[in-house]
Amino acid sequence: MPPTTFYVDAVLFDMDGTLVDSTAGVVGAWDTFARSYPGLDVKTILSSSHGVRTVDNLKKYCGITDDALLEEEAQRFEQAIVDSSKDNGRPGITMLPGVRPIIDELTPGKDMPNACWAICTSATRVYASAALEVASIPVPQAFVTAEDVKLGKPYPDPYLLGAKKCGVSPDRCLVVEDAPAGVQSGHAAGCKVLGLITTHTRGQMEPCTPDYLVKNLSSVQMKRLGKGVEVTIFMD
C-alpha cells in the first residue's frame, strides 16, 4: 500500500504507550497496590485501564471515594511506576520505536517559536514530567496532564485543551494514541486519529475506528513546516 501524506496544524500525542513504554512500571505499581487493596485482579485491570487517568482507575478498581485520599493515592501509584520500573530485572521507562526522529523534528528552535505539537496525557504532571525526563523526551510548550481537565479520556477535554494550547483548531490536528479510550477522546474532539498497536492488539484497536492504524511510530514520518506539520504514514 502506498504511503499517505497529509498536513495538519499540530500533532497531539498521548504519552504512555505512544511516546514511552512504562508497562514495566505500571505492572509493578498495580502489584504494589494489590498488597494494599486485597482482591485486585491485576491481569483484568491491565487489560482495560490503559489510557485512563489514575484517579479514575483508583475510583473504579480500589473503591476510593474520598477526594483527598484519592489524590494522595494517585501520587503514590504514579511514583510507584517510576520506582518499580526497574525492579526484578524490568527494563524501566523507555522511549518507543520511531519517537526520537519525530520529536527532534517537531521540537521548535529559535527560528520556529510556535508550538506545533503537544502531549496530552492521562498522567499527573509530576509523573509525566519524570517519565519524559527518564526517556529523554523534552516537555513540550503545550503540555496537558490529568490535573488540567475535569473530565479525562474518553471525553474530548484533553485534546481540546491541547489544540487550544497550540493555538489551532482541533479539526486541524492529528491525535496519536495507543488506547481505545484515547482514540475515542480524539474523535470526540474532532481530530484525525492515528492509532498505534503498542499496548493493545489490532483487534482491540480496530473497533474504535482510528483514521489510521500502524504498529508504532517507526511507520510514520513528520516534517515541521513554516506553519504546521507534514505527516507521512507508511501503512502496515
Side-chain angles (χ1 to χ4, degrees):
M1 183 179 296
T4 298
T5 298
F6 56 91
Y7 301 86
V8 294
D9 289 341
V11 183
L12 313 178
F13 296 92
D14 174 50
M15 186 184 75
D16 285 313
T18 298
L19 300 177
V20 305
D21 183 357
S22 61
T23 303
V26 172
V27 172
W30 280 116
D31 284 342
T32 298
F33 267 59
R35 295 193 289 271
S36 302
Y37 298 89
L40 286 182
D41 184 341
V42 174
K43 184 177 181 180
T44 298
I45 292 172
L46 291 171
S47 70
S48 59
S49 63
H50 194 79
V52 179
R53 294 187 304 175
T54 298
V55 290
D56 295 328
N57 280 325
L58 294 180
K59 282 181 184 178
K60 180 177 180 179
Y61 297 111
C62 299
I64 303 172
T65 56
D66 179 79
D67 287 343
L69 178 60
L70 189 63
E71 181 65 25
E72 181 180 316
E73 288 292 76
Q75 292 180 15
R76 183 168 77 94
F77 184 92
E78 295 194 346
Q79 186 60 50
I81 296 176
V82 177
D83 292 344
S84 67
S85 65
K86 291 188 176 181
D87 287 352
N88 302 316
R90 294 182 178 122
I93 297 172
T94 59
M95 186 187 300
L96 283 162
V99 172
R100 179 83 280 156
I102 287 175
I103 296 303
D104 286 349
E105 172 66 21
L106 297 186
T107 300
K110 293 181 180 179
D111 57 331
M112 291 184 172
N114 297 325
C116 67
W117 71 288
I119 292 177
C120 305
T121 176
S122 296
T124 63
R125 185 168 294 266
V126 170
Y127 163 67
S129 299
L132 291 171
E133 182 178 0
V134 171
S136 299
I137 296 173
V139 174
Q141 295 176 26
F143 192 31
V144 178
T145 59
E147 304 95 325
D148 296 325
V149 294
K150 290 184 177 180
L151 295 173
K153 304 169 188 179
Y155 293 95
D157 303 40
Y159 287 117
L160 289 174
L161 182 55
K164 183 178 179 180
K165 283 176 175 276
C166 288
V168 300
S169 174
D171 64 0
R172 291 288 304 155
C173 292
L174 174 69
V175 162
V176 185
E177 266 285 355
D178 70 299
V183 174
Q184 293 167 24
S185 176
H187 278 319
C191 307
K192 286 184 178 180
V193 180
L194 167 63
L196 308 179
I197 308 171
T198 51
T199 59
H200 293 75
T201 65
R202 181 176 292 273
Q204 290 173 313
M205 292 294 288
E206 285 180 340
C208 57
T209 63
D211 297 281
Y212 312 96
L213 186 61
V214 296
K215 183 178 179 181
N216 56 47
L217 284 172
S218 294
S219 298
V220 181
Q221 291 181 356
M222 296 188 187
K223 181 179 180 181
R224 185 184 176 97
L225 306 174
K227 179 181 179 182
V229 181
E230 177 187 271
V231 180
T232 299
I233 300 175
F234 300 87
M235 303 299 292
D236 297 336

